[in-house]
C-alpha cells in the first residue's frame, strides 16, 4: 500500500474524473439513455486506463497493486462493452450494475488493507459501498426510466468522487501512517511477520 499512498495524486485524478462525470450527467437536460451509456462508457474507459496506469506505477509491490489493476481492467472492459451497445437498454443496465458490483468489491478489498484508525480507510470504504449501492440500485430497477438511471449514476459519481478525493487528501496529509497498515517495516517496506 505504501507506493499506492505515495501516488495519492493519481487517486485524486480519479476523484476529479468521477465528479466531472456526475456533474455532467446531472446537469445535462434531456439526457437520453443512449447518451447516458456513451458518457458512462467513456468515463469507465478513461477511469480504467488511469487506474491501470496507477497500478503499473505501484507495480514494485505486485501484491499491493493487484486490486487496483483488476479494477482498472474491469472498468476498461465493461466501458468498451457499454460503448458497443449504447442503444440496447437491458444489456447496458446489466453491464453498469456488474461494473458497480466488481469495482465496489475491489474498492472494499483495498479499503480493508488500510489501517482502520486512518480516515482513508473509511473514505475509500465509502467509495466501495457507493459502488455496491449503484449495483444494487441498477439490479433492483432494471427497467427504470432514463431519468432514474441518470440520477442514480450522477449521484453515485458525486459521492464516489468526493470519497476518493478525501482518500487522496488523507494519503497526502499522512502518507506514512496510511501506507504502513501497522504491518509494513518503516525502513524496508517489507511485511513483518
Amino acid at each position: 500500500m505504501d507506493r499506492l499512498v505515495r501516488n495519492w495524486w493519481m487517486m485524486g485524478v480519479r476523484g476529479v474524473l468521477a465528479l466531472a462525470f456526475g456533474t455532467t450527467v446531472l446537469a445535462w437536460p434531456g439526457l437520453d439513455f443512449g447518451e447516458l451509456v456513451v458518457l458512462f462508457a467513456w468515463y469507465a474507459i478513461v477511469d480504467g486506463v488511469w487506474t491501470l496506469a496507477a497500478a503499473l506505477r505501484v507495480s514494485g509491490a505486485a501484491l499491493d497493486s493487484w486490486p487496483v489493476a483488476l479494477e482498472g481492467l474491469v472498468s476498461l472492459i465493461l466501458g468498451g462493452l457499454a460503448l458497443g451497445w449504447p442503444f440496447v437498454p437491458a444489456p447496458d443496465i446489466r453491464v453498469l450494475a456488474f461494473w458497480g458490483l466488481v469495482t465496489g468489491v475491489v474498492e472494499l478489498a483495498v479499503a480493508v488493507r488500510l489501517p482502520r484508525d486512518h480516515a482513508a480507510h473509511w473514505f475509500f470504504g465509502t467509495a466501495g459501498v457507493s459502488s455496491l449501492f449503484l449495483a444494487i440500485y441498477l439490479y433492483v430497477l432494471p427497467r427504470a426510466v432514463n431519468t432514474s438511471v441518470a440520477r442514480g449514476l450522477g449521484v453515485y459519481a458525486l459521492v464516489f468522487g468526493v470519497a476518493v478525493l478525501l482518500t487522496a487528501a488523507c494519503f497526502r496529509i499522512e502518507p506514512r501512517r496510511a501506507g504502513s497498515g501497522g504491518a509494513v517495516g518503516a525502513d524496508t517496506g517489507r511485511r513483518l511477520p
Side-chain angles (χ1 to χ4, degrees):
M1 277 302 138
D2 200 34
R3 286 179 183 233
L4 184 62
V5 169
R6 282 196 307 256
N7 290 295
W8 61 269
W9 62 273
M10 294 189 89
M11 183 172 281
V13 169
R14 287 191 67 205
V16 170
L17 287 172
L19 288 173
F21 170 68
T23 302
T24 302
V25 167
L26 292 174
W28 190 315
L31 181 67
D32 71 26
F33 190 77
E35 293 167 334
L36 174 65
V37 171
V38 169
L39 276 174
F40 166 78
W42 280 113
Y43 163 70
I45 289 168
V46 171
D47 183 63
V49 168
W50 188 258
T51 304
L52 280 172
L56 290 174
R57 188 163 169 92
V58 299
S59 64
L63 291 178
D64 285 344
S65 65
W66 77 263
V68 178
L70 178 63
E71 182 179 3
L73 187 62
V74 166
S75 288
L76 189 59
I77 290 169
L78 294 180
L81 287 174
L83 199 56
W85 291 318
F87 300 103
V88 183
D92 286 330
I93 291 293
R94 286 193 294 270
V95 166
L96 295 174
F98 184 71
W99 176 82
L101 178 68
V102 172
T103 58
V105 168
V106 171
E107 288 155 1
L108 286 174
V110 171
V112 165
R113 298 174 75 181
L114 295 170
R116 288 187 185 183
D117 63 338
H118 195 275
H121 167 83
W122 300 104
F123 288 135
F124 206 63
T126 300
V129 168
S130 71
S131 294
L132 290 176
F133 176 78
L134 174 70
I136 292 166
Y137 175 77
L138 293 175
Y139 274 127
V140 169
L141 302 173
R143 300 203 192 299
V145 295
N146 296 346
T147 55
S148 296
V149 173
R151 281 191 205 120
L153 265 173
V155 169
Y156 151 76
L158 293 179
V159 170
F160 178 82
V162 168
V164 169
L165 279 174
L166 289 171
T167 303
C170 289
F171 286 171
R172 171 77 169 104
I173 294 167
E174 292 188 78
R176 292 192 78 193
R177 186 167 167 233
S180 70
V184 175
D187 297 330
T188 63
R190 290 179 290 143
R191 288 233 170 254
L192 299 176

